Amino acid sequence: MTTCAIIVSAGRGHRFGAGLPKQYRMLAGAPVARHTLMVFADHPAIDHIFAVIHPDDAGLFAEAAKGIDGVIVTHGGKERQDSVRNGLARARDIAPGKVLIHDAARPFISAAMIDAVLTALEDAPGALPALPVTDTLKRGADGRIQETVDRSGLYRVQTPQGFRFAEILAAHEAAAGRALTDDAAVAEAAGMRVVMVPGDENNFKITTQEDLMRAESMMTGRAGGDIRTGMGFDVHRFEPGNGVILCGVRIPFDRRLAGHSDADVALHAITDAVLGAVGAGDIGLHFPPSDPQWRGAASAIFLEKAVEFVIGKGGELVNIDLTVICEAPKVGPHRDAMTAKVAAITGLAADRINIKATTTEQLGFTGRGEGIAAQSVATVRI
Ligand code: MG
């Protein structure tokens, strides 16, 4: 059975003043309507999306829907009810079985809510999310309370409101010219049975500037919550030579590190930490030692590639911590140059990069001066 969504985006949002309609205001770097459209576009049960817009907002909507495939745009009418009727009429050609009607200005609609409404439609011709009224209700006039209203059995309703398509289309056509406040009211007027599924406090409609600020902090707070950490560890042995390379900085020494690339044990550990943070495997997976193109390569390219993985995941590096473990050479005098090099490679500010060194008290292979070990932790925010 085909299911379509009608995203009502025709409001002019006068409550926001003379500025942009609320569904086109920027929220966490994208228009409000874009966040809403993405949820429906990504939902496997939604086959077609119809957007109902104000004719003056064609450019704004095109920007909001950029890159989202298959959104069919139609123009709204004078009132919301007229707009929905236009959207339903536009969808009639594909004869969907079910339709979800949703406000573009409710960007926190979840896939689970869409599922809940669609599931309820299996047993009823109409379904909507609703929340019980918990505040005490009063009736008043002229600044004075007249009575307390019994709130039992009262609900606040949200969208998406879902319906069997043919029935709601007929109901809307029959209700043309009557002022009804939502699609469920249109359905009720036609005698359709409409059932409730649990609503979600986060699925609020952005109506005021305060709503937009709340939405911004919710959305950016959510982004800030996806923090990931990765760790990396590497060892290279010494061989005859005249210097080692740590974090891309050449340090004079009476030996060098053996390895296929430039053997920069410090950058290898950092690279593995960054790859680990975004679940992208390890350095050997992307740069196999068996591949001759990495012979003698400057290890900066490995870390650059790891940072590309982070960006590709929509993330950003937060910080890098590195410990170099050896008895010699001394790392301290080169710490600032190494930090600057890692900053240049990753784009991180220097104060988000920490480089330290330790010995193992002459114990183990590093203590015997057989090589250098390095370990690193990297944090990524997606
Ligand atoms: Mg290595």
Side-chain angles (χ1 to χ4, degrees):
M1 182 186 282
T2 304
T3 298
C4 73
I6 293 181
I7 308 300
V8 187
S9 194
R12 304 303 286 148
H14 293 300
R15 270 173 284 194
F16 258 140
L20 279 179
K22 56 191 180 284
Q23 63 274 29
Y24 301 117
R25 297 285 290 259
M26 293 302 277
L27 168 61
V32 168
R34 181 174 186 79
H35 297 289
T36 308
L37 288 165
M38 294 290 287
V39 176
F40 284 88
D42 287 345
H43 197 289
I46 305 297
D47 303 301
H48 300 277
I49 298 175
F50 295 86
V52 190
I53 71 166
H54 190 283
D56 293 350
D57 295 340
L60 289 168
F61 185 82
E63 186 64 29
K66 193 155 69 181
I68 303 174
D69 288 340
V71 178
I72 299 163
V73 177
T74 190
H75 288 166
K78 189 159 171 287
E79 301 295 337
R80 183 185 187 282
Q81 197 177 329
D82 305 316
S83 296
V84 172
R85 196 173 61 250
N86 288 359
L88 290 168
R90 184 71 178 78
R92 189 202 313 254
D93 291 347
I94 57 160
K98 297 175 188 171
V99 59
L100 296 182
I101 302 168
H102 185 71
D103 301 321
R106 290 187 194 264
F108 292 100
I109 173 65
S110 65
M113 178 70 74
I114 291 172
D115 288 332
V117 174
L118 288 176
T119 300
L121 287 180
E122 299 294 329
D123 299 317
L128 54 72
L131 289 162
V133 172
T134 52
D135 290 335
T136 297
L137 295 179
K138 303 284 186 187
R139 193 183 312 281
D142 303 324
R144 183 175 162 181
I145 298 231
Q146 292 171 317
E147 63 168 332
T148 300
V149 178
D150 181 7
R151 71 180 177 213
S152 63
L154 292 184
Y155 289 84
R156 296 178 286 135
V157 304
Q158 305 179 325
T159 71
Q161 298 190 352
F163 305 95
R164 293 184 191 152
F165 183 82
E167 289 172 63
I168 193 66
L169 174 61
H172 258 282
E173 286 175 341
R178 295 177 58 191
L180 297 169
T181 52
D182 69 348
D183 303 297
V186 172
E188 292 152 30
M192 287 170 68
R193 186 166 61 93
V194 181
V195 299
M196 295 186 281
V197 301
D200 177 356
E201 291 288 356
N202 287 340
N203 181 30
F204 64 97
K205 186 174 182 179
I206 296 176
T207 306
T208 64
Q209 188 65 38
E210 287 69 33
D211 294 335
L212 190 64
M213 288 163 64
R214 175 184 168 199
E216 181 77 27
S217 79
M218 280 169 64
M219 219 165 254
T220 52
R222 180 190 288 176
D226 195 0
I227 299 287
R228 303 187 188 185
T229 305
M231 63 168 291
F233 178 76
D234 196 27
V235 172
H236 282 256
R237 68 168 65 241
F238 285 127
E239 64 181 14
N242 58 8
V244 302
I245 294 171
L246 293 177
C247 292
V249 175
R250 189 179 161 77
I251 300 174
F253 192 51
D254 59 5
R255 279 159 288 168
R256 71 177 188 190
L257 290 171
H260 190 72
S261 63
D262 64 2
D264 189 333
V265 64
L267 282 190
H268 295 180
I270 293 173
T271 300
D272 264 356
V274 173
L275 290 171
V278 290
D282 63 26
I283 195 168
L285 183 71
H286 302 290
F287 307 99
S290 55
D291 188 335
Q293 68 169 307
W294 311 122
R295 184 181 299 281
S299 295
I301 60 169
F302 306 150
L303 182 52
E304 283 166 6
K305 182 76 177 174
V307 172
E308 282 175 25
F309 275 106
V310 173
I311 294 165
K313 292 245 178 184
E316 60 172 349
L317 268 174
V318 175
N319 78 303
I320 288 170
D321 190 20
L322 172 76
T323 302
V324 178
I325 304 161
C326 59
E327 302 292 326
K330 284 218 169 308
V331 170
H334 307 282
R335 190 192 319 252
D336 289 348
M338 290 163 65
T339 302
K341 198 83 180 188
V342 174
I345 296 166
T346 59
L348 267 180
D351 67 356
R352 290 174 177 268
I353 299 162
N354 191 64
I355 294 176
K356 52 202 187 305
T358 189
T359 71
T360 51
E361 299 284 349
Q362 297 172 15
L363 297 172
F365 70 87
T366 55
R368 294 187 296 271
E370 294 168 5
I372 300 180
Q375 57 187 27
S376 177
V377 170
T379 309
V380 166
R381 179 192 295 118
I382 295 181

